[in-house]
Amino acid sequence: MTSPAHSLPVPIPRWAYAVALVALVVTWLVLQENGIALGHAAETVHEFFHDGRHALGVPCH
Ligand SMILES: [Zn+2]
């Protein structure tokens, strides 16, 4: 019988937080952008990700 494993702290590099932040912003743009941040380009982004938005259940129309 083995003793329960003690988890060791996993070092998280600082750049990983920046990558996570960028990923969150991109996710927000894809899922919620309706012209507030991207203005005229929002229509293009919306059409590009339209099917993906519906597949994820994001209401858009
Ligand atoms: Zn739609």
Side-chain angles (χ1 to χ4, degrees), residues 6-7 34 40 46:
H6 295 279
S7 60
N34 288 312
H40 188 66
H46 179 90

Side-chain angles (χ1 to χ4, degrees), residues 50 54 60-61:
H50 190 240
H54 278 277
C60 69
H61 56 89

Side-chain angles (χ1 to χ4, degrees), residues 6-24:
H6 295 279
S7 60
L8 297 173
V10 177
I12 300 174
R14 289 185 178 189
W15 57 263
Y17 293 103
V19 170
L21 181 62
V22 170
L24 279 174

